[in-house]
Amino acid sequence: MSPTLLPDGTSASKTVDQLSSYLREILSSVNKTHLEPPLTESDFDPDLLARIRSLRSSPDELYRNSLDTAFKGALYDLVTNNDAINTATLPVFCNFLDLSLVLAELEISGAGLPLDLIEELFDSQTIPSCECLFQYLESRIDRVTAGVEGGKGKALILLRLCNELLKRLSKTEDTIFCGRILIFLSKSFPIGERSGVNLRGDFNVDNVTVYDDILQEPLTAADEMELDIKKDEMEVDHKKEEGASGVEEVDISSARSPKRLKVDAGQDASQKEPTVLDANTLYPIFWSLQHDFADPQRLFIKSNLEKFKVGLGATMAKFKKAEDDSIKTTGKVDVANGPKKADEKKPGVSLGEKRKQIDGDDDDIKGEGFNPKYLTSRELFELEISDLTFRRHVLVQALILIDFLLSLTPQAKEKWKDLKTPNRSVQYTFTLGPEDEKWAVTTKEQILRSLEPDVQGRLFTRTIKTVLIREQNWVRWKAESCHPFDMPPLGDADIEDAKQKAAKACEIPESYKYTMGTPALDSLWQATGDLTGLEGLTDPMRHNLPSPESFRQPVKDAELELLDAMFPDDIELAQTKKFTNTWKAFRLASRDRFHLFNKFDDKFDEKRNDLEMLFEVEEKTKEEARARVNQQAPATATPTKAQGKAIEVGGNNSLVATDADTTPSSSVPTKIPTPTTTPIPTAPITNT
């Protein structure tokens, strides 16, 4: 048999040997002994990379197959030389896989070569070695998953690799590793990837909960008498309600139950107080609920739904009793890890402890208590019932199932009619009846109340409510056939159109020809004679403070109008003008003439002109000041002619007298002191 030849005539086996020798040389030149940072093209010898590239300048299928064979041969040598992958040997495998990544990024090898090698490694290693090696995938997720598209190429290899690894793991013993793989897949694939959506809405019916068989115990005479009494009472009640409701009895007990319990199927289970069953009776009823939690479609059968309702009611009654017993025993509400014992040992004091507490903080152990699978032994049943974490798990399961039932009510189904692309697989034909809907709503409220006895419980309940609300959004998304979340990119025409609109929006608009907003307002404003727009606002007259004297004439005009007015409206208008102008004048006069206000006549007269009274009082005050100045003048300074005096009234009410025609003995004007007055704060003046 002739050897396989490459297109250039060289033997394929010879090429594989050359590539293998180059790979060994490159790996021997790398001295990195840690997982991080990842190796790049600059970390390898460029001459050796050039030799590998020179073997085939334009790689074809035969060349790439030769390179894959050389890599797998080098991989098998590494696996043979290292017994297992651990913290010490992990960097060696990481350097080897980084080399394959670099060659794939340089398009020297196929894009799926790194994942093929990782798959080979996982298949050849034990679970602990795979868990250690999985750190490589987590640290190189961006480079390994570059160019992954759902349903083809590297995506198929990655899915096959992770799914095969999940099949090898135990869900009870390797729970954390399974979670790491699922988180890695969720980061690697888009959220709408069809392979992880479960479009058909299948339930995990393989999750079967197996529990112990309890042998039938012989009934004592007291038990038989009690059962006969209960039977007679139920038969009487049944005969009374049979004609009205037409109900029938439903046996809810399992074949393994030591006692059989009957309940009226027509009676609302939420209205009557459920009986607290003993542990032996509740044990098979409690664990039979897991069948309904795993496959909710079983509740579409009326008898199964009635059994579930009564079984859940009995479970909640038992949980309530366990919570009450815990409060009576400890004197406080139970917490997630149970009451702390007084004689609890400190962390690290004994080597025989099952679980050591590294930190003394209680918050560090609140997450403990997670079990991937329930322990269903009969001997542990009472202990599990007394554990708050266990009770929360079961009640959350019940909440999820009740939300599923409430999504099948007629009102909820009406919301699905407007779906454009409905997914018929998750739209069930079963419809929840009004009585069952009422029971579901009541039971959900009872569960939520039982979950929040304290602050931690309320926080836990709020978290569960948030998760359930978001889950409803996912349910609707699945009912819409999981439409994609990503939007297609805009075309070139749309981008250019957006640019033009943005540029047009940024242009400075032309000034509006109507300054006041509309043609009518513009002409009306111009008719008043005032300036329009900003010019009118900058008019100096707007910023000048008028004097009180400027209101004398408007007040006099208002008085004349008041005398000529004949009608009440005209009289009221004239009075308003008079009082308004008077108040404005007094308001301005209060700034520097406030000391004159107390010299007014207190007698009220509606016809009196108060503004003129102010000026009269001011003139009288000035005359009195002139008289005082003449009396205080010296006798030797008798003037030969009449003197003109200019009296200035300052802000401090001081008077200064100056001689306009003669020169006194001193050239400095004489300052006449006046009585000091106490400043009075300025206040608005109102007309009385």
Side-chain angles (χ1 to χ4, degrees):
M1 182 177 179
S2 58
T4 304
L5 300 178
L6 296 177
D8 58 355
T10 59
S11 174
S13 60
K14 182 179 179 181
T15 304
V16 171
D17 295 338
Q18 290 178 347
L19 291 173
S20 300
S21 62
Y22 292 156
L23 293 178
R24 285 193 293 268
E25 291 182 25
I26 292 177
L27 292 175
S28 61
S29 63
V30 177
N31 298 322
K32 188 170 76 73
T33 58
H34 300 284
L35 178 64
E36 296 289 348
L39 297 178
T40 58
E41 181 183 1
S42 59
D43 296 319
F44 297 104
D45 189 353
D47 294 336
L48 295 176
L49 291 178
R51 293 180 188 177
I52 295 177
R53 187 184 287 108
S54 65
L55 291 179
R56 194 64 184 169
S57 58
S58 58
D60 54 10
E61 185 177 356
L62 291 177
Y63 172 76
R64 290 188 174 181
N65 289 339
S66 301
L67 188 58
D68 293 350
T69 304
F71 263 104
K72 290 183 179 180
L75 176 64
Y76 297 149
D77 293 339
L78 286 178
V79 173
T80 305
N81 297 332
N82 298 275
D83 296 335
I85 300 178
N86 48 39
T87 306
T89 60
L90 179 62
V92 178
F93 290 90
C94 292
N95 296 340
F96 176 78
L97 295 175
D98 282 341
L99 176 59
S100 66
L101 268 178
V102 170
L103 295 182
E105 292 169 351
L106 295 176
E107 297 183 355
I108 298 176
S109 65
L113 175 61
L115 290 177
D116 287 333
L117 297 176
I118 295 173
E119 185 179 15
E120 291 284 343
L121 263 179
F122 280 136
D123 291 340
S124 63
Q125 298 298 315
T126 60
I127 296 299
S129 298
C130 293
E131 187 172 3
C132 184
L133 180 63
F134 199 77
Q135 300 178 39
Y136 176 81
L137 277 178
E138 293 174 328
S139 61
R140 313 293 199 272
I141 182 172
D142 293 334
R143 298 176 63 186
V144 171
T145 60
V148 170
E149 297 180 5
K152 59 182 179 180
K154 297 168 61 176
L156 295 178
I157 303 175
L158 188 60
L159 277 177
R160 183 175 66 245
L161 181 155
C162 293
N163 288 331
E164 291 295 332
L165 190 56
L166 285 172
K167 290 179 181 179
R168 294 172 54 188
L169 300 178
S170 171
K171 294 182 179 179
T172 57
E173 297 180 1
D174 304 312
T175 308
I176 297 178
F177 191 18
C178 291
R180 290 170 57 191
I181 297 175
L182 294 176
I183 292 175
F184 175 80
L185 287 174
S186 66
K187 293 180 179 179
S188 303
F189 291 91
I191 196 171
E193 173 61 30
R194 292 300 183 94
S195 61
V197 167
N198 186 16
L199 276 174
R200 296 183 300 178
D202 296 332
F203 294 97
N204 185 17
V205 295
D206 295 334
N207 184 18
V208 179
T209 301
V210 181
Y211 49 92
D212 297 341
D213 290 333
I214 301 179
L215 298 178
Q216 180 72 26
E217 299 177 358
L219 298 179
T220 62
D223 293 335
E224 292 179 355
M225 184 180 299
E226 183 180 356
L227 287 176
D228 292 339
I229 295 174
K230 290 183 178 180
K231 182 177 181 181
D232 295 339
E233 293 177 353
M234 294 179 67
E235 287 179 357
V236 172
D237 295 339
H238 178 69
K239 290 179 180 180
K240 289 181 180 179
E241 301 177 1
E242 186 175 7
S245 58
V247 298
E248 60 177 351
E249 296 177 348
V250 179
D251 187 3
I252 65 157
S253 61
S254 174
R256 296 169 288 188
S257 177
K259 297 180 181 180
R260 300 177 66 83
L261 180 63
K262 295 183 178 181
V263 66
D264 188 356
Q267 186 177 1
D268 189 358
S270 62
Q271 293 180 356
K272 70 176 188 176
E273 188 70 21
T275 306
V276 179
L277 305 178
D278 60 276
N280 287 333
T281 305
L282 181 64
Y283 175 79
I285 299 175
F286 174 81
W287 288 117
S288 63
L289 297 177
Q290 295 298 323
H291 301 326
D292 300 321
F293 293 151
D295 187 9
Q297 296 184 18
R298 296 179 71 253
L299 302 183
F300 295 171
I301 303 174
K302 184 67 175 179
S303 59
N304 291 342
L305 180 58
E306 295 300 331
K307 290 180 181 179
F308 174 78
K309 289 163 63 176
V310 180
L312 182 59
T315 301
M316 292 176 60
K318 190 69 173 180
F319 285 179
K320 177 63 176 173
K321 185 177 183 302
E323 183 178 352
D324 295 340
D325 294 343
S326 175
I327 295 176
K328 292 179 182 179
T329 303
T330 61
K332 60 181 179 180
V333 178
D334 193 9
V335 294
N337 294 305
K340 187 175 181 180
K341 298 179 181 179
D343 57 346
E344 183 179 1
K345 294 182 179 180
K346 294 183 179 180
V349 297
S350 175
L351 296 177
E353 291 181 349
K354 289 185 177 180
R355 185 182 292 106
K356 291 184 180 180
Q357 181 181 347
I358 304 303
D359 261 340
D361 192 1
D362 292 338
D363 293 338
D364 295 339
I365 61 174
K366 287 181 180 178
E368 295 182 2
F370 170 75
N371 295 315
K373 194 71 174 176
Y374 286 125
L375 303 177
T376 59
S377 174
R378 173 62 188 84
E379 288 77 9
L380 300 175
F381 188 58
E382 285 86 352
L383 297 176
E384 289 176 321
I385 293 295
S386 62
D387 183 20
L388 177 60
T389 303
F390 177 82
R391 297 199 301 267
R392 282 181 176 177
H393 287 172
V394 177
L395 292 178
V396 170
Q397 282 185 293
L399 280 177
I400 296 173
L401 182 53
I402 289 175
D403 268 9
F404 171 75
L405 293 176
L406 291 176
S407 67
L408 302 176
T409 59
Q411 295 82 2
K413 286 190 173 183
E414 287 291 331
K415 300 178 181 179
W416 308 120
K417 291 185 178 181
D418 57 345
L419 299 180
K420 297 181 180 179
T421 56
N423 182 10
R424 302 298 179 185
S425 300
V426 295
Q427 294 183 1
Y428 304 98
T429 57
F430 174 78
T431 303
L432 194 67
E435 294 182 358
D436 296 332
E437 179 183 357
K438 182 179 179 182
W439 167 85
V441 173
T442 305
T443 305
K444 182 177 180 180
E445 293 177 354
Q446 292 176 355
I447 293 175
L448 292 176
R449 284 197 301 267
S450 63
L451 286 175
E452 47 184 19
D454 57 351
V455 177
Q456 294 183 4
R458 287 191 289 272
L459 179 60
F460 176 79
T461 305
R462 186 174 63 180
T463 304
I464 296 300
K465 286 181 180 179
T466 304
V467 173
L468 292 179
I469 291 174
R470 294 182 179 179
E471 185 65 21
Q472 292 176 2
N473 298 332
W474 287 113
V475 170
R476 182 174 181 85
W477 176 66
K478 187 179 293 186
E480 294 175 347
S481 300
C482 303
H483 56 80
F485 287 94
D486 51 344
M487 299 178 63
L490 294 176
D492 296 337
D494 296 333
I495 296 176
E496 290 298 327
D497 184 53
K499 289 181 179 180
Q500 294 177 3
K501 291 181 178 179
K504 186 176 181 180
C506 295
E507 293 179 356
I508 300 176
E510 298 180 359
S511 58
Y512 193 57
K513 60 181 180 179
Y514 301 112
T515 308
M516 306 310 298
T518 61
L521 286 176
D522 211 32
S523 60
L524 182 63
W525 192 275
Q526 292 176 359
T528 61
D530 296 335
L531 298 176
T532 59
L534 295 177
E535 297 177 356
L537 298 177
T538 57
D539 187 6
M541 295 300 297
R542 291 175 52 88
H543 307 285
N544 291 336
L545 193 65
S547 62
E549 288 78 4
S550 62
F551 291 95
R552 295 183 71 175
Q553 189 60 39
V555 171
K556 292 180 180 180
D557 295 341
E559 287 182 339
L560 295 176
E561 293 178 5
L562 187 61
L563 294 175
D564 298 337
M566 302 293 294
F567 299 100
D569 293 342
D570 296 338
I571 295 174
E572 183 180 0
L573 180 61
Q575 288 179 346
T576 302
K577 288 183 179 180
K578 177 182 177 181
F579 294 153
T580 301
N581 291 319
T582 302
W583 181 87
K584 290 180 179 179
F586 274 105
R587 179 70 177 175
L588 294 171
S590 65
R591 299 169 62 90
D592 55 357
R593 310 177 194 182
F594 195 75
H595 62 286
L596 302 176
F597 287 4
N598 60 352
K599 298 182 180 181
F600 284 3
D601 188 1
D602 295 337
K603 183 179 178 181
F604 175 74
D605 186 3
E606 192 177 72
K607 298 180 180 180
R608 184 180 63 186
N609 191 337
D610 294 332
L611 185 58
E612 290 297 329
M613 183 183 296
L614 172 66
F615 295 132
E616 292 175 0
V617 170
E618 183 181 12
E619 186 64 27
K620 184 178 180 181
T621 303
K622 290 181 179 180
E623 291 179 357
E624 293 177 354
R626 293 191 189 98
R628 288 196 300 271
V629 170
N630 294 332
Q631 293 177 1
Q632 294 176 3
T636 57
T638 302
T640 58
K641 62 180 181 177
Q643 297 178 349
K645 303 290 183 180
I647 308 300
E648 298 180 359
V649 180
N652 55 357
N653 301 325
S654 60
L655 302 179
V656 179
T658 58
D659 192 347
D661 300 325
T662 60
T663 303
S665 59
S666 177
S667 62
V668 180
T670 304
K671 183 176 181 180
I672 307 301
T674 59
T676 304
T677 59
T678 303
I680 301 177
T682 303
I685 305 302
T686 58
N687 293 322
T688 57

